[in-house]
């Protein structure tokens, strides 16, 4: 049964790769817009420095997630932008309160933990 479960998971991962669009990356100056688009990762820059990554929680709860990108503050994430317009966040995002979402954001995709 285990092998079947693995096979289904693999097929599902391949299918969702075709049908579910990746998150776009948008760089904004100083402030993220009031109404955030879904499936978009906003990178807030100030004076050329990446300050924050902002996105709508991918679980559907509607909360705004803000990840600090400044290395002198904690916790701190690192964002990597890729040539195809997607981005990767490191480490994983874990909301310890509210919806409790815990996921990796890699190349514009949400991978649940
Ligand atoms: Zn959520």
């Amino acid at each position: 049964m285990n092998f079947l479960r693995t096979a289904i998971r693999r097929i599902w991962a391949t299918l969702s790769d075709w049908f579910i669009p990746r998150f776009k990356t948008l760089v904004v100056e100083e402030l993220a817009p009031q109404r955030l688009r879904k499936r978009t990762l906003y990178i807030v820059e100030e004076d050329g420095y990446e300050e924050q990554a902002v996105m709508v929680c991918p679980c559907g709860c509607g909360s705004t997630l803000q990840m600090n990108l400044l290395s002198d503050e904690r916790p701190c994430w690192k964002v990597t932008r890729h040539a195809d317009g997607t981005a990767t966040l490191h480490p994983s995002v874990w909301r310890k309160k509210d919806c409790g979402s815990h996921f990796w954001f890699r190349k514009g995709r949400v991978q649940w933990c």
Side-chain angles (χ1 to χ4, degrees), residues 1-21:
M1 281 316 275
N2 245 348
F3 113 90
L4 195 63
R5 204 175 295 155
T6 311
I8 289 171
R9 200 180 297 146
R10 275 202 200 130
I11 293 165
W12 175 247
T14 310
L15 284 179
S16 56
D17 216 50
W18 291 344
F19 294 115
I20 304 172

Side-chain angles (χ1 to χ4, degrees), residues 18-58:
W18 291 344
F19 294 115
I20 304 172
R22 287 167 188 265
F23 278 61
K24 286 191 215 107
T25 312
L26 267 185
V27 178
V28 291
E29 291 288 320
E30 290 178 40
L31 267 180
Q34 286 286 305
R35 287 177 61 95
L36 299 174
R37 272 189 255 161
K38 285 185 183 170
R39 311 203 68 79
T40 304
L41 179 79
Y42 293 85
I43 297 174
V44 183
E45 278 191 0
E46 205 177 334
D47 301 325
Y49 286 97
E50 292 169 339
E51 278 208 325
Q52 242 183 14
V54 182
M55 70 196 290
V56 179
C57 182

Side-chain angles (χ1 to χ4, degrees), residues 48-110:
Y49 286 97
E50 292 169 339
E51 278 208 325
Q52 242 183 14
V54 182
M55 70 196 290
V56 179
C57 182
C59 87
C61 70
S63 308
T64 301
L65 307 182
Q66 294 180 314
M67 282 74 70
N68 164 55
L69 301 176
L70 296 171
S71 52
D72 54 355
E73 283 171 39
R74 291 286 180 269
C76 157
W77 279 265
K78 190 171 156 32
V79 69
T80 310
R81 277 187 258 169
H82 306 287
D84 61 358
T86 63
T88 296
L89 280 174
H90 188 91
S92 64
V93 179
W94 192 1
R95 303 192 71 207
K96 303 235 162 99
K97 54 184 170 94
D98 300 329
C99 67
S101 284
H102 188 192
F103 60 89
W104 284 92
F105 188 80
R106 290 195 185 107
K107 290 206 146 190
R109 288 218 175 282
V110 171

